[in-house]
Amino acid sequence: MNDLASAAVPGPALRDDPGTPGVRAALRRAAPALAAYAAIRGLGLAVLAVWSAADGKNWHTLLTARWDSLWYTRVAEQGYGYAVQLPNGDVHSNLAFFPLLPWLERGLSALLPLSPADAGMAVAWLTSPAAAWALYATGERLHGPRAGVALAALWAALPVGIVQSMAYSEALFTALAAWGVYCVMTGRWVAAGVLASLAGLTRPVGAAVVAAVWLTATVTLWRERAGGTGVRAALRARPGLLPGVLVAPLGWCGYFLWVGARQGSLTGYLDVQGGWGNGFDGGLAFGAFIWHQLSGPAFPAGLGLLAGVGLVIWLYVRGVRQGEPLPLVVYGGVVLLLALTAKGYFGSKPRLMMPAYPLLLPPATALARCRPVRSWLVIGVVAVASAAYGAFWLNGSGPP
């Protein structure tokens, strides 16, 4: 497969996979990837601790008690209903934050001697390796073990990889999304639907996982029908497909509708996001922001932004042309589309694109074809740069 049209057709990797290896065997195979992930993130935390101490700040506070972490903690402690009105009239409501992470923070802090903030960091530290495991499994299935290790390592070494260690929802979401998409690839439809529903309770971009489940199921049934098999026969052959499709949107739609009922409007959640200055305008505001940078004294920054947008689009197209399975194409494309077309808080776009791990498959496969010494040298350099940037970022402006 070497073009967009062919990538829209599920290949052998998407067929039902009843011969599932044991969890222990799968974990043993993933051990090198998990070790690489732990080493890279450990380096990032160590550099952050040293940098923060030199800057007179506390690394623990930076990870658990700033920016969105405070909003999640407040939801865990007090529930929904808190809002701040800004001088310009905008209203920042905690209804903008999806509930799964605060629920976990509340539950863990009730069971263990942890504050909700520390519980949020614990969730991140537990689910980020789970996400790395899912990335390894994906890379291994498509291109072999070395590609799986490289994919997990590259995700750990993203410039904003430090967010994976914060009391934020990105690590939790990526773990649910990556395993959900992997379940679609392997024909585990019920598990895929449950994970998609949980991802939909974690972040608005959970819609990307739902799209991967729905579109892949639709194309699968269409192919069966085109091959002479009726839809009913196809559903009987895949008894979990229809339940998975039905369960997948429940989390996302449930929270969206609950906020709408609470706000007295079907578009209540969109109105809440509008109060934060967020929304979707097809990328007009982001384009205007880049143009403003390019046409002023911040030209180098604008050029860097433009290059970054071009790079992620190129990586997506490259993955499509390399024949990535449909679930990855759909999921990665929706995450990328939502991140690039959202307005407001332009500095958060790298963080918003962090769950778009399919973008890392082309460089991961390229590294897998290199000599081990060369590939690990590249990953090591990227990891050091990520650790330094993460420490600089959190001790400065940090994630909006």
Side-chain angles (χ1 to χ4, degrees):
M1 290 191 281
N2 57 10
D3 56 26
L4 183 59
S6 61
V9 181
L14 298 184
R15 298 191 181 279
D16 292 351
D17 185 17
T20 306
V23 174
R24 290 184 180 179
L27 184 57
R28 282 196 300 269
R29 294 201 310 275
L34 296 177
Y37 179 84
I40 293 170
R41 292 291 357 114
L43 174 64
L45 291 172
V47 173
L48 173 65
V50 173
W51 194 306
S52 301
D55 205 33
K57 297 178 181 177
N58 185 290
W59 66 272
H60 179 265
T61 300
L62 294 177
L63 293 177
T64 62
R66 294 183 71 187
W67 307 293
D68 290 4
S69 300
L70 295 173
W71 288 89
Y72 283 119
T73 299
R74 186 180 288 272
V75 173
E77 293 175 336
Q78 303 177 13
Y80 286 104
Y82 176 77
V84 175
Q85 185 164 4
L86 304 184
N88 65 357
D90 289 344
V91 176
H92 288 186
S93 168
N94 63 2
L95 290 169
F97 297 88
F98 275 52
L100 186 56
L101 178 58
W103 287 348
L104 293 174
E105 289 179 339
R106 180 183 298 176
L108 284 177
S109 62
L111 294 173
L112 301 172
L114 294 172
S115 68
D118 286 338
M121 186 171 69
V123 169
W125 287 24
L126 290 172
T127 57
S128 54
W133 186 3
L135 268 59
Y136 168 80
T138 300
E140 178 198 41
R141 184 175 184 84
L142 297 178
H143 303 289
R146 290 189 61 196
V149 173
L151 183 60
L154 288 175
W155 188 67
L158 286 173
V160 293
I162 191 65
V163 174
Q164 298 166 22
S165 303
M166 297 178 66
Y168 269 47
S169 61
E170 276 79 6
L172 172 63
F173 174 80
T174 305
L176 294 169
W179 279 116
V181 172
Y182 182 79
C183 286
V184 178
M185 290 171 55
T186 55
R188 299 171 176 86
W189 293 102
V190 174
V194 171
L195 289 165
S197 187
L198 291 172
L201 282 171
T202 307
R203 294 189 63 80
V205 75
V209 193
V210 178
V213 173
W214 278 15
L215 288 179
T216 306
T218 300
V219 173
T220 299
L221 293 177
W222 176 81
R223 287 191 66 192
E224 295 288 349
R225 184 175 182 182
T229 303
V231 173
R232 290 184 179 179
L235 289 174
R236 285 196 297 270
R238 294 173 174 80
L241 189 148
L242 185 58
V245 167
L246 295 176
V247 169
L250 294 183
W252 190 92
C253 290
Y255 186 68
F256 189 93
L257 293 175
W258 180 79
V259 174
R262 186 181 177 105
Q263 297 293 99
S265 169
L266 185 61
T267 61
Y269 183 77
L270 299 179
D271 298 336
V272 168
Q273 286 285 3
W276 282 82
N278 295 330
F280 299 96
D281 62 357
L284 294 177
F286 187 40
F289 176 75
I290 293 177
W291 175 251
H292 176 74
Q293 303 296 309
L294 289 171
S295 58
F299 175 80
L303 196 61
L305 281 172
L306 194 61
V309 171
L311 175 62
V312 296
I313 293 175
W314 180 82
L315 287 172
Y316 177 73
V317 174
R318 180 69 175 171
V320 171
R321 294 186 64 84
Q322 287 183 348
E324 287 182 8
L326 179 63
L328 290 172
V329 171
V330 173
Y331 168 76
V334 173
V335 173
L336 183 60
L337 178 67
L338 293 177
L340 293 181
T341 59
K343 62 180 180 179
Y345 298 112
F346 301 117
S348 66
K349 289 194 180 293
R351 177 170 63 87
L352 297 178
M353 286 190 286
M354 191 173 69
Y357 65 91
L359 298 177
L360 298 174
L361 266 171
T365 56
L367 286 172
R369 291 193 293 267
C370 295
R371 296 179 184 176
V373 172
R374 181 175 298 178
S375 62
W376 282 113
L377 178 61
V378 171
I379 291 173
V381 170
V382 174
V384 170
S386 170
Y389 181 74
F392 168 78
W393 193 44
L394 283 196
N395 282 277
S397 61

